[in-house]
Amino acid sequence: MKKLILLLLIIGLIFVAFQFKPVEKAYDTVKAVIETPSLINKDSLTIKSRVNIPEGYKRVEYPKGSFEAYLRNYKLKAFGSKIINYDNTEYFWQRGHIGILEVPVPKNGLQQCADALIRIRSEYLWDYNRKDDIGFNFTSGHYCSWKKYAEGYRPKISGNKVSFHKTASANHTKDNFYKYLNLIYTYSGTLSLYNELKSVKAKDLKIGDMLIKGGSPGHIVILCDEVINDKGEKLFLLFQGNTPAQSVHLVKNLTDSSISPWYKLEDDAITPVSNYTFSSAKFVRFK
């Protein structure tokens, strides 16, 4: 009888020990949601200056004018700014971010998660006189470039069949560029980017690469800063758009408050990001 009681006690202790792990994880997550990460500079207005480097790391250098430097130095709104939906309402979840990027949100509701990153990439190419490189596949697989759109070519779409015809006058203005982006937002998304863009392994990641789950719905985030330690281990900052179309925001790490908002990224890992959890996802890179 005593042996049976002892056995039951041991089993009970083992059970309790295993229960502490998820409880501890839940506690850490709640703590991360409530608290501002210790690495944050609240009075800073760029991604690079908003977030300090963890001890033992240094920033990976990139040349001025590169897409990597462009993202790292992206302007932020004042600390504490809220995520606002396209219809000017507040997003219901305000606990997962530590910065709002200075990216306007169109009132048409089209600029969702993939679209926000498409916009930022396209604006970089525009600003650095690489306009001919602006172009994206539709979900159907058909390529739509800004160059042809500016020349007056428009798609004729019937199901999965797409053909392009010159039906408008040439117009290379910035206003017309944003009309082109609205077209891309309509016919492109996470699924088209997932299929179109080159896959990248975690060991080769750099600023500008993205973690993506293609689908309807899918999701995507972009790496916007990068640090490395003496062992070659890297950490990254991430920002995202979302659905509904809303403010683009720099996210916390809600599962590791010791390094938040920095993330360790691995291949084929389950990666929680704010209010979305990536699984069966991959890393990709813009062309």
Side-chain angles (χ1 to χ4, degrees):
M1 185 66 179
K2 289 183 179 179
K3 289 184 178 179
L4 178 60
I5 293 174
L6 181 60
L7 179 61
L8 290 173
L9 180 60
I10 292 171
I11 292 172
L13 289 172
I14 292 172
F15 176 78
V16 170
F18 274 97
Q19 293 309 301
F20 275 127
K21 288 189 177 181
V23 169
E24 183 180 1
K25 184 177 180 180
Y27 171 79
D28 289 342
T29 300
V30 171
K31 181 181 177 183
V33 167
I34 294 173
E35 294 182 351
T36 299
S38 61
L39 295 170
I40 297 302
N41 293 317
K42 293 184 179 181
D43 59 346
S44 297
L45 297 177
T46 67
I47 290 174
K48 180 179 179 180
S49 61
R50 175 67 55 88
V51 185
N52 290 328
I53 303 169
E55 186 176 354
Y57 287 81
K58 63 180 180 180
R59 278 193 162 92
V60 177
E61 296 297 325
Y62 287 100
K64 184 178 180 180
S66 65
F67 187 48
E68 295 87 349
Y70 180 84
L71 292 177
R72 171 180 276 162
N73 292 286
Y74 212 95
K75 292 182 179 179
L76 300 175
K77 296 181 183 295
F79 184 84
S81 296
K82 294 185 176 181
I83 299 172
I84 304 299
N85 297 322
Y86 70 95
D87 59 2
N88 211 35
T89 59
E90 291 184 8
Y91 187 53
F92 78 94
W93 171 244
Q94 299 288 342
R95 291 289 188 174
H97 71 283
I98 49 87
I100 302 293
L101 279 69
E102 289 281 9
V103 182
V105 183
K107 301 303 181 185
N108 57 23
L110 292 178
Q111 189 177 284
Q112 298 180 6
C113 60
D115 310 319
L117 306 190
I118 286 171
R119 173 180 182 153
I120 289 170
R121 173 64 176 177
S122 298
E123 287 178 334
Y124 163 75
L125 294 173
W126 179 282
D127 291 345
Y128 283 85
N129 200 29
R130 293 176 52 189
K131 299 180 181 69
D132 287 353
D133 293 335
I134 300 172
F136 302 90
N137 285 359
F138 291 163
T139 301
S140 64
H142 297 84
Y143 182 72
C144 181
S145 70
W146 157 246
K147 180 179 180 181
K148 298 300 289 185
Y149 187 93
E151 291 171 356
Y153 288 85
R154 299 293 183 269
K156 181 179 180 181
I157 299 172
S158 178
N160 286 328
K161 295 181 179 180
V162 180
S163 57
F164 291 86
H165 307 271
K166 185 171 173 55
T167 59
S169 300
N171 183 343
H172 294 80
T173 65
K174 195 73 174 283
D175 285 345
N176 200 40
F177 166 66
Y178 284 110
K179 291 179 181 178
Y180 161 78
L181 287 182
N182 280 332
L183 176 69
I184 297 299
Y185 302 160
T186 302
Y187 293 107
S188 302
T190 56
L191 187 57
S192 62
L193 291 180
Y194 187 92
N195 292 328
E196 174 186 1
L197 300 182
K198 177 184 177 181
S199 296
V200 182
K201 292 295 184 182
K203 65 181 180 64
D204 299 319
L205 286 173
K206 64 178 184 176
I207 297 174
D209 292 338
M210 295 160 285
L211 176 59
I212 185 170
K213 172 78 171 184
S216 299
H219 195 49
I220 187 170
V221 296
I222 193 166
L223 286 55
C224 59
D225 204 354
E226 177 184 0
V227 294
I228 190 170
N229 64 16
D230 291 340
K231 297 178 182 178
E233 298 167 334
K234 291 185 177 183
L235 301 175
F236 297 92
L237 297 180
L238 312 175
F239 70 68
Q240 65 177 9
N242 212 340
T243 303
Q246 60 188 226
S247 310
V248 182
H249 49 280
L250 188 62
V251 298
K252 288 182 180 180
N253 182 339
L254 298 179
T255 58
D256 191 346
S257 59
S258 67
I259 60 170
S260 181
W262 297 94
Y263 278 79
K264 295 178 182 177
L265 296 174
E266 299 176 348
D267 293 316
D268 303 317
I270 295 175
T271 307
V273 176
S274 188
N275 58 349
Y276 185 88
T277 298
F278 286 94
S279 62
S280 302
K282 68 177 180 179
F283 299 106
V284 295
R285 179 172 297 166
F286 278 123
K287 296 175 181 177

